[in-house]
Amino acid sequence: MIRAAARRRDAEERDWLLRGSPPPPWVRWPPPLLLTAIVVIQMLTPESLDLSFLVAAVSPLAALSYGPTATALLGGGVLLLLSLPGFGLGHPGNSDELTITFIALLSVLFAWVRSRRERQLVTVSTVAEAAQLAVLPPLPDRVGRVRCAGLYQAAQRESLVGGDFFDVRTSEHGVRALVGDVQGHGLAAVGTVASLLGAFREAVLDQPDLEGVAARLDRRLIVDSADEEHTELFATAVLLEFPDGSDVVRVVSCGHPAPLLLRGPQVTELAVASGAPLGLGIAGADPPERLTVPLFPGDRLLALTDGVCEARDASGDFYPILERLSGMIRADPAAIDDPAALTEQIWSDVLHYAGAVRDDVTMMVFAPENVAQTAT
């Protein structure tokens, strides 16, 4: 449902040379193709045309994608071709042969270093991905009677987890969902994200209402920052509850952007009162106000973080999510029936509008089934 890992792998394939990640398969083709092209062109052209200097590039190109053994074989093949006059690769002198031999040996060394570094990078990336996915595990397409689809994009491209967090859980009170944003982003916020998600997963099981869940999250942040001086640890969050046996959604906001209700082509922001952010010690004494909204068949709810609504265009204007989303649905009414595709369409529109987004982004679409539909 959340496609963060796939996005990171796509970015690694695009920027492999700068990021140090394993090269894509197509990088293995240039060395043999270049060598073949040089031999063919040299044999078909007059002897006065000497292309032997180009063969020196074969070994360095091989070092970009091949291991030390394959690079050594290609380098040896180059030296062999230079020594065979039948191939017409000019008549290089001793100094040229020594130069090409030195380049080939140096390329073998580079290939060995690169291969070793890639193995280390794969190991570290695998461990990091496993750790981060333990914090934000992939969610199923359905939780209880609620279908879920979403998109998560960390601000740091090397990271799967940033300052945004989300979860959807079932309880005896119905399906409960959480979408939030920790102060800051990147790997520094992962510890706080893990702490909040752990508290949420416990609270949904024993707290009778969303206000109690919010109070538990608030207390968690207060405890975590108690031993740190001059800390300003806080988070915003929105909690949703889809109670069993009732076609309503209950919403509590702790300083977070309000969810959007998608009812056909109409997109409206839920009028939920914005309470204090989590971690300020206010949620327990002055709990946020809960909003209850009736749901009709086909209704969708979109919860998001400020990485979407605070994206700016070149003139500094914020992304007008209500107008843009309503326009998308009017142009393609079937988009609301495919929540996963809808989040991708919104994300593409955000990038087209803002050019680039430098904050963590989370969008989650909830499609609750009607109680009558569930019963049948």
Side-chain angles (χ1 to χ4, degrees):
M1 185 200 75
I2 302 295
R3 295 169 291 280
R7 291 174 181 280
R8 192 188 69 163
R9 284 190 289 269
D10 292 341
E12 287 179 349
E13 290 187 359
R14 290 193 303 268
D15 305 332
W16 62 273
L17 191 58
L18 297 178
R19 300 164 65 92
S21 55
W26 64 266
V27 182
R28 302 176 66 88
W29 288 103
L33 289 178
L34 175 62
L35 184 59
T36 302
I38 292 173
V39 173
V40 172
I41 294 173
Q42 186 71 72
M43 294 180 66
L44 296 177
T45 54
E47 295 184 0
S48 58
L49 180 61
D50 184 7
L51 298 179
S52 59
F53 68 96
L54 290 177
V55 297
V58 173
S59 295
L61 284 176
L64 291 176
S65 57
Y66 289 93
T69 302
T71 302
L73 290 175
L74 279 170
V78 167
L79 295 174
L80 179 62
L81 290 176
L82 287 174
S83 64
L84 297 177
F87 283 91
L89 285 177
H91 303 284
N94 292 333
S95 61
D96 293 335
E97 291 181 354
L98 289 175
T99 300
I100 294 176
T101 301
F102 174 76
I103 293 175
L105 292 175
L106 196 60
S107 298
V108 172
L109 175 62
F110 288 160
W112 178 79
V113 173
R114 181 193 56 77
S115 299
R116 184 176 180 181
R117 185 176 183 276
E118 282 183 3
R119 288 193 296 269
Q120 294 174 341
L121 179 63
V122 168
T123 300
V124 171
S125 299
T126 302
V127 173
E129 183 170 332
Q132 294 183 79
L133 288 177
V135 176
L136 284 179
L139 294 177
D141 294 333
R142 177 186 294 272
V143 179
R145 67 182 183 94
V146 180
R147 290 191 295 122
C148 308
L151 181 145
Y152 182 86
Q153 181 73 39
Q156 291 185 355
R157 297 173 63 185
E158 296 80 4
S159 175
L160 292 179
V161 180
D164 287 359
F165 54 95
F166 57 88
D167 205 355
V168 185
R169 297 280 165 165
T170 58
S171 71
E172 63 180 11
H173 308 287
V175 177
R176 288 175 169 176
L178 168 71
V179 176
D181 183 6
V182 172
Q183 172 202 21
H185 54 76
L187 294 176
V190 173
T192 304
V193 167
S195 180
L196 283 171
L197 289 175
F200 172 75
R201 290 160 187 166
E202 290 292 329
V204 294
L205 298 177
D206 53 25
Q207 291 297 322
D209 51 41
L210 291 182
E211 293 89 339
V213 177
R216 182 75 66 87
L217 299 178
D218 182 66
R219 186 182 67 179
R220 179 72 269 167
L221 280 186
I222 294 174
V223 172
D224 288 347
S225 60
D227 297 331
E228 302 181 18
E229 295 183 1
H230 309 296
T231 182
E232 294 182 356
L233 184 62
F234 68 89
T236 64
V238 62
L239 297 112
L240 301 95
E241 180 180 84
F242 302 90
D244 295 332
S246 179
D247 289 324
V248 299
V249 61
R250 298 169 184 154
V251 185
V252 164
S253 175
C254 300
H256 197 80
L260 306 181
L261 175 63
L262 284 61
R263 181 168 290 166
Q266 296 182 348
V267 180
T268 57
E269 185 177 84
L270 296 184
V272 58
S274 182
L278 302 172
L280 302 183
I282 301 176
D286 186 17
E289 298 180 14
R290 179 177 57 188
L291 175 69
T292 301
V293 179
L295 295 177
F296 299 100
D299 282 356
R300 304 287 186 265
L301 286 149
L302 172 63
L304 44 79
T305 56
D306 57 11
V308 178
C309 50
E310 292 185 1
R312 297 172 182 260
D313 63 5
S315 61
D317 295 330
F318 290 116
Y319 178 72
I321 178 68
L322 295 177
E323 294 81 357
R324 306 280 287 206
L325 181 54
S326 179
M328 292 178 204
I329 300 174
R330 292 182 187 278
D332 182 15
I336 199 172
D337 297 326
D338 189 350
L342 181 61
T343 58
E344 290 286 354
Q345 188 174 354
I346 297 172
W347 176 239
S348 298
D349 190 59
V350 171
L351 291 179
H352 177 74
Y353 180 86
V357 178
R358 296 176 178 82
D359 197 1
D360 300 316
V361 169
T362 298
M363 290 183 284
M364 293 193 67
V365 176
F366 303 98
E369 289 187 350
N370 186 265
V371 171
Q373 293 176 329
T374 306
T376 58

